[in-house]
């Protein structure tokens, strides 16, 4: 195994070639400028975020174009002023579409900004698209106003307490919830404030063979969710690299009957043959990025050159592979089945272990991809994350429904390996602490729920009367929430009356049930009415303010987990796709994300109380990204929400302004 390169300062990371930017050294003083450009056509305004590092502009993001659609390399910083050209690409940038705007949509704004006493003021003039077009420029000019914050001000305004954490895909509570917020939260997500934008991370996926050449879609970075611990954000990513290329596909789109179309699209965005070749590389460089949660500055990266595989396909990308933080370490789950232990403070690698079963499978997969000169990953796979139970790190032993391997958290030694179809294909092992003992709880589509002693790997019990739990079940203390119906039983389930204006088509996907866990086995506590339905292709739900929220066929249900009594049911307030959704628990409300698989990061808020009403629809102002089959888990920590975009990480402040 290659030894990783550990850096105390950031490397130059890949961004779209038309908008390449450097990263700040630790000696550079960082400031963030948030300003408004007005007026624009149709009396519109635009919000611009600029990060300076020393005497240069390090990155810029114009909402909702993100850093992928904003080129700040023409701006300079000198004597308290920012001047020069800001280039904005006005194409729509999201997920598997091109993240490189067409040359025809790139328009320049000349900025002349003064930064003084925490205030930015100045002017802009240049070109902006004519309304209802992306590539017809018209002259614009106006005023720029806003605020400037140095690192001290950023820490004072947005710094996280050390106990604010999101340490796994499941969150710290094993149910997509975290601790309380130290201040009251906003009631409308439209009041969320973008705090910072990270360095380039990359899209979760970047098209597929059936989409053709995928011109302008940079290499995928995988679908790992961000993790938060002690004032830092950790993001695992990868980037295509190496000389092994999928020539079986690349030759078709570059030299076959599609060649003219491919060349025309490349010319439109300024892409080279080398960039196309990299896009279709077979291998990947893997990386862990550590980011200051208050400022967005990259603190360090750990790199594993050539140790990954470039899984890029829409339905076959590295969907989850979220790591876990425990014992002062970040445990990273590489695409080839390696678990690496990295010191969360220093970035020093402590150990690395190839997971039995998983690593052997991926070695064969990579060898076949290289031999056949094309990468065809299994559909809807790579959907597990890591977890920790006591002093062992829990990892899947394969893709799809599989067994579990436990690694010693200190040494990486394999402690035990339980084989068989015990872990659902889109689930992560759960840690159950009962008394003074640590247990592992897993469920799968086989209808089994299994309890394993975490230190030894011995079966404590296995229950075979549950339903199809291919997707994530939840722990709420000693209560387990999951599916009661099998796939066959769902076919005979009663259909739910369509009683709402924004309903979802399809079969009744099951029945939610609750079991109380004991060392002697589970006891059924309640079963929801079958007419309610249950989440489809998604985790079962989440818990906030003592209530469970889960999605039925046509409604979101708030339920008392102890009794199963329905407290409320609510419809969405706008028509959106919501057949494969997810939700996140804030301290006293739920963030509903109705569709987490088709590129839409659209959200609603639902208060966790009987009289709570669903808020209006919020579309975050950045390039969106989702994963297929297993949803990304947006990290929540003390009023801050960290969301993967198609290009970078975006930090939003959800605290009420009067409380900041």
């Amino acid at each position: 195994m290659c030894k990783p390169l550990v850096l105390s300062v950031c490397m130059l990371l890949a961004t779209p070639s038309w908008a390449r930017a450097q990263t700040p050294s630790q000696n550079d003083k960082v400031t963030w400028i948030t300003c408004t450009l007005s007026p624009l056509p149709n009396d519109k305004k635009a919000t611009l975020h600029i990060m300076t590092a020393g005497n240069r502009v390090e990155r810029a993001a114009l909402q909702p174009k993100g850093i992928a659609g904003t080129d700040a390399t023409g701006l300079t910083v000198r004597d308290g002023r920012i001047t020069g050209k800001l280039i904005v690409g006005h194409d729509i940038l999201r997920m598997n579409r091109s993240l490189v705007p067409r040359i025809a949509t790139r328009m320049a704004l000349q900025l002349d900004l003064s930064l003084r006493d925490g205030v930015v003021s100045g002017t802009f003039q240049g070109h902006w698209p004519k309304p209802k077009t992306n590539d017809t420029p018209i002259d614009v000019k106006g005023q720029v106003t806003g605020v400037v914050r140095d690192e001290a001000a950023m820490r004072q305004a947005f710094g996280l307490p050390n106990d604010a954490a999101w340490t796994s895909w499941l969150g710290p509570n094993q149910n997509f919830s975290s601790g309380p917020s130290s201040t009251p939260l906003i009631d409308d997500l439209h009041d969320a404030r973008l705090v910072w934008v990270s360095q380039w991370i990359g899209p979760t996926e970047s098209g597929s063979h059936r989409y053709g050449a995928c011109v302008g879609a940079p290499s995928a970075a995988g679908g790992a969710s961000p993790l938060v611990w002690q004032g830092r954000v950790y993001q695992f990513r990868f980037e295509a690299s190496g000389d092994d290329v999928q020539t079986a596909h690349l030759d078709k789109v570059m030299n076959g009957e599609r060649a003219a179309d491919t060349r025309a699209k490349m010319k439109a965005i300024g892409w080279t043959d080398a960039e196309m070749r990299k896009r279709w590389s077979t291998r990947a460089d893997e990386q862990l990025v550590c980011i200051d949660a208050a400022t967005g500055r990259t603190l360090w990266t750990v790199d594993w050159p050539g140790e990954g595989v470039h899984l890029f396909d829409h339905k076959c990308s590295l969907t989850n592979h979220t790591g876990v933080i425990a014992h002062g370490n970040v445990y990273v789950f590489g695409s080839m089945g390696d678990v690496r232990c990295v010191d969360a403070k220093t970035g020093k690698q402590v150990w690395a272990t190839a997971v039995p079963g998983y690593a052997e499978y991926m070695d064969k997969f990579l060898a076949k991809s290289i031999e056949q000169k094309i990468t065809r990953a299994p559909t809807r796979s790579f959907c597990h994350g890591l977890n920790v139970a006591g002093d062992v790190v829990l990892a899947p032993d394969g893709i799809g429904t599989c067994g579990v391997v436990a690694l010693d958290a200190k040494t990486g030694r394999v402690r035990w390996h339980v084989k068989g179809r015990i872990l659902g294909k889109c689930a992560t092992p759960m840690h159950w602490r009962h008394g003074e003992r640590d247990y592992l709880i897993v469920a799968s589509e086989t209808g089994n729920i299994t309890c394993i002693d975490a230190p030894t790997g011995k079966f404590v019990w296995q229950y075979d009367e549950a339903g199809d739990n291919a997707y994530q079940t939840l722990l709420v203390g000693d209560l387990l929430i999951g599916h009661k119906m099998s796939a066959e039983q769902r076919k005979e389930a009663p259909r739910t009356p369509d009683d709402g204006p924004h309903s979802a088509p399809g079969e009744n996907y099951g029945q939610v049930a609750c079991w109380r866990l004991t060392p002697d086995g589970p006891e059924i506590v309640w079963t929801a009415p079958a007419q309610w339905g249950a989440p489809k292709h998604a985790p079962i739900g989440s818990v906030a303010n003592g209530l469970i929220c889960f999605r039925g066929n046509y409604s979101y249900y708030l339920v008392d987990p102890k009794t199963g009594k329905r407290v409320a049911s609510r419809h969405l307030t706008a028509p959106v796709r919501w057949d494969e959704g997810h939700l996140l628990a804030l301290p006293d409300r739920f963030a509903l994300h109705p569709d987490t698989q088709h590129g839409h990061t659209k959200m609603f808020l639902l208060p966790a109380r009987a009289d709570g009403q669903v808020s209006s629809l919020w579309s975050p102002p950045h390039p969106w990204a989702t994963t297929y089959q297993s949803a990304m888990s947006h990290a929540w920590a003390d009023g801050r929400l960290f969301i993967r975009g198609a290009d970078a990480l975006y930090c939003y402040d959800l605290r009420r302004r009067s409380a900041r």
Side-chain angles (χ1 to χ4, degrees), residues 129-394:
K130 182 180 179 181
K132 299 182 180 182
T133 74
N134 287 330
D135 54 10
T136 305
I138 58 176
D139 293 337
V140 293
K141 63 179 181 179
Q143 301 297 310
V144 180
T145 57
V147 297
V148 182
R149 293 186 176 90
D150 60 17
E151 287 197 60
M154 291 289 286
R155 294 190 190 287
Q156 182 177 6
F158 307 114
L160 286 175
N162 279 343
D163 60 352
W166 190 274
T167 51
S168 74
W169 180 68
L170 290 164
N173 299 327
Q174 309 293 290
N175 54 31
F176 302 107
S177 72
S178 185
S181 174
S182 59
T183 55
L185 303 180
I186 57 177
D187 295 315
D188 188 335
L189 286 170
H190 292 91
D191 295 328
R193 178 165 53 163
L194 181 60
V195 176
W196 52 254
V197 184
S198 78
Q199 65 165 61
W200 178 264
I201 299 297
T204 56
E205 50 92 355
S206 53
S208 69
H209 297 121
R210 64 191 175 101
Y211 296 161
C214 297
V215 176
S219 68
S225 301
L227 303 173
V228 181
W229 183 74
Q230 294 201 353
R232 296 181 176 191
V233 184
Y234 301 86
Q235 181 63 58
F236 173 66
R237 65 182 293 274
F238 59 80
E239 185 164 324
S241 68
D243 297 328
D244 295 308
V245 178
Q246 299 180 60
T247 53
H249 179 73
L250 192 59
D251 286 347
K252 289 182 180 180
V253 298
M254 295 293 287
N255 303 315
E257 60 183 22
R258 302 180 184 178
D261 180 65
T262 299
R263 292 290 179 183
K265 290 178 179 177
M266 291 172 63
K267 182 178 180 180
I269 67 170
W271 250 29
T272 65
D273 284 18
E275 285 167 311
M276 279 295 293
R277 187 175 177 83
K278 178 180 177 179
R279 162 64 185 83
W280 292 103
S281 293
T282 303
R283 297 180 185 268
D285 298 335
E286 297 189 330
Q287 184 178 71
L288 177 65
V289 183
C290 176
I291 300 168
D292 188 316
T295 68
R297 174 202 281 270
T298 299
L299 300 176
W300 48 257
T301 64
V302 187
D303 296 86
W304 295 276
E307 292 192 23
V309 60
H310 182 212
L311 295 167
F312 61 90
D313 190 282
H314 173 43
K315 296 185 179 181
C316 314
S317 64
L318 197 73
T319 301
N320 193 337
H321 272 234
T322 303
V324 64
I325 300 177
H327 310 299
N329 299 316
V330 185
Y331 298 94
V332 180
F333 192 15
S335 59
M336 291 296 292
D338 295 319
V339 173
R340 299 134 175 164
C341 174
V342 176
D343 186 291
K345 288 293 186 182
T346 67
K348 180 180 179 181
Q349 180 170 305
V350 181
W351 54 257
T353 300
V355 178
Y358 206 113
E360 291 88 345
Y361 176 88
M362 292 306 297
D363 284 342
K364 294 177 182 178
F365 170 79
L366 178 59
K368 182 178 179 180
S369 297
I370 293 173
E371 178 185 3
Q372 297 182 351
K373 300 185 183 304
I374 195 164
T375 302
R376 297 190 186 280
T379 300
R380 305 184 181 190
S381 302
F382 312 107
C383 296
H384 307 292
L386 300 182
N387 211 340
V388 167
D391 63 352
V392 295
V393 181
L394 306 170

Side-chain angles (χ1 to χ4, degrees), residues 181 183-195 584 586 589 591 603 605 618 636-643 651-657 660:
S181 174
T183 55
L185 303 180
I186 57 177
D187 295 315
D188 188 335
L189 286 170
H190 292 91
D191 295 328
R193 178 165 53 163
L194 181 60
V195 176
L584 168 72
L586 310 184
R589 65 203 70 191
M603 298 186 188
L605 283 182
W618 180 58
W636 157 261
D638 192 46
R640 267 46 60 95
L641 186 62
F642 303 89
I643 303 179
C651 172
Y652 291 92
D653 188 354
L654 305 190
R655 296 171 298 166
R656 293 181 188 172
R657 299 214 174 195
R660 295 169 185 161

Side-chain angles (χ1 to χ4, degrees), residues 524-538:
I524 191 76
V525 178
W526 52 262
T527 302
Q531 288 84 355
W532 290 5
K536 180 179 182 180
H537 296 164

Side-chain angles (χ1 to χ4, degrees), residues 44-126:
K44 299 289 186 180
K45 300 178 181 179
T47 301
L48 175 65
H49 303 269
I50 299 174
M51 179 182 182
T52 66
N55 61 355
R56 61 186 171 80
V57 171
E58 194 277 327
R59 68 184 75 124
L62 186 75
Q63 294 181 189
K65 307 299 180 182
I67 63 171
T70 313
D71 183 358
T73 55
L75 296 176
T76 60
V77 182
R78 183 176 300 159
D79 299 328
R81 303 188 72 83
I82 296 178
T83 58
K85 287 184 179 180
L86 177 75
I87 310 292
V88 179
H90 293 277
D91 280 333
I92 297 174
L93 307 174
R94 64 182 63 165
M95 211 169 72
N96 59 18
R97 300 182 184 181
S98 172
L99 286 179
V100 182
R102 289 173 294 130
I103 295 172
T105 73
R106 301 177 197 173
M107 301 179 191
L109 294 174
Q110 187 75 30
L111 301 184
D112 186 356
L113 309 181
S114 172
L115 316 178
R116 181 174 299 178
D117 299 326
V119 175
V120 58
S121 60
T123 62
F124 72 90
Q125 63 177 357

